[in-house]
Amino acid sequence: MAPGEDEASAGERLDTVKARIARAAAKAGRGPGEVTLIAVSKTQGPEAIRPLIEAGQRGFGENRVQEATEKWPPLRAAFPAIRLHLVGRLQSNKAEEAVALFDAIHSVDRPSLVDALARAIEKSGRAPELFVQVNIGDEPQKGGCAIGALPDLLAGAEEAGLAIAGLMCLPPAETEPAPYFALLAKLARRHGVAGLSMGMSGDYESAVMIDATHVRVGTALFGARESGREGR
Ligand SMILES: *Cc1c(COP(=O)(O)O)cnc(C)c1O
């Protein structure tokens, strides 16, 4: 974060991020309305989240079902237009809880989870938007399906009656992310999938220029998180 940026108000940070998204979109010949900003509020308490809601932000991302279940119901009751995105790994035994709470799930990455989600969606009658997470840098410690497993996973989702809205990735840390974004965009085109959930605080402008439809921004909106509470 640039010096002084942590003293900015939530509304000022939000304006800055939105202006940068609009500028990157314009450079790529896209409209700012083509990009959904997800404020990743993991580890942040309601006192940090509320000012962003009051400044107009409606899309929020969490990486843990448990944390989101504890934090969001009261905020949502107060602000019904909020849309909640799950951006972290999902265990199959939490599929029902996730379907009940989230409007979008960005971490579909294996056949067993597709099956669990299909059952939960049928049972609840709720149908969150679903993104397939791709392990774009082939990193063993990260979630996401292998690039080679993507065609079968998409076919399995279709068979289970699940519409897939897009692909999601988290490029390897400490490398230039643009080639990974471009690869994800190519995979999405090849499979006829429209959504692209990619780009975080350090690289969302680059993602927007490579056709991201959803950017997931935490630190640039909230300031630095306490370390050691992340997990992917
Ligand atoms: C934490 C997280 C983000 C946001 O990261 P920042 O660098 O704080 O913007 C985005 N996507 C996922 C999957 C995350 O876990």
Side-chain angles (χ1 to χ4, degrees):
M1 184 167 296
E5 215 173 308
D6 53 342
E7 286 144 41
S9 72
E12 286 165 344
R13 288 185 201 150
L14 181 61
D15 286 346
T16 301
V17 170
K18 288 207 284 204
R20 289 188 180 162
I21 289 172
R23 206 160 34 196
K27 276 189 204 162
R30 312 176 67 204
E34 294 176 47
V35 183
T36 299
L37 170 61
I38 301 169
V40 179
S41 49
K42 62 188 183 197
T43 80
Q44 306 292 344
E47 72 293 343
I49 295 173
R50 265 188 177 267
L52 271 185
I53 300 175
E54 279 155 12
Q57 178 61 21
R58 289 297 175 264
F60 288 86
E62 291 286 341
N63 68 339
R64 292 185 181 175
V65 176
Q66 177 75 32
E67 181 183 337
T69 305
E70 287 162 12
K71 215 156 77 178
W72 279 97
L75 287 165
R76 270 191 137 173
F79 302 96
I82 280 173
R83 281 181 60 82
L84 275 188
H85 299 253
L86 178 64
V87 301
R89 266 188 184 168
L90 177 57
Q91 292 172 299
S92 296
N93 63 9
K94 297 237 170 101
E96 273 192 34
E97 217 182 324
V99 164
L101 183 65
F102 290 96
D103 301 293
I105 295 172
H106 293 240
S107 49
V108 182
D109 64 357
R110 58 196 188 277
S112 57
L113 182 56
V114 164
D115 294 343
L117 286 169
R119 281 194 302 275
I121 287 168
E122 188 174 21
K123 193 166 155 188
S124 67
R126 278 191 105 245
E129 258 192 315
L130 301 177
F131 290 76
V132 168
Q133 181 176 351
V134 180
N135 188 347
I136 202 76
D138 195 21
E139 297 174 281
Q141 79 281 15
K142 270 198 191 150
C145 81
I147 291 174
L150 182 61
D152 281 353
L153 190 63
L154 290 172
E158 190 174 353
E159 231 166 85
L162 296 185
I164 297 299
L167 303 183
M168 179 272 220
C169 77
L170 269 162
E174 320 291 335
T175 57
E176 164 59 44
Y180 295 98
F181 294 154
L183 177 56
L184 194 74
K186 181 170 136 186
L187 291 169
R189 275 195 306 274
R190 181 182 301 162
H191 293 288
V193 176
L196 281 172
S197 168
M198 57 189 198
M200 317 196 341
S201 291
D203 53 25
Y204 63 90
E205 291 157 288
S206 155
V208 166
M209 294 191 67
I210 305 173
D211 282 349
T213 59
H214 294 69
V215 293
R216 310 178 309 265
V217 179
T219 316
L221 291 170
F222 289 102
R225 287 178 292 276
E226 278 175 62
S227 58
R229 295 185 60 193
E230 298 224 12
R232 345 201 89 155

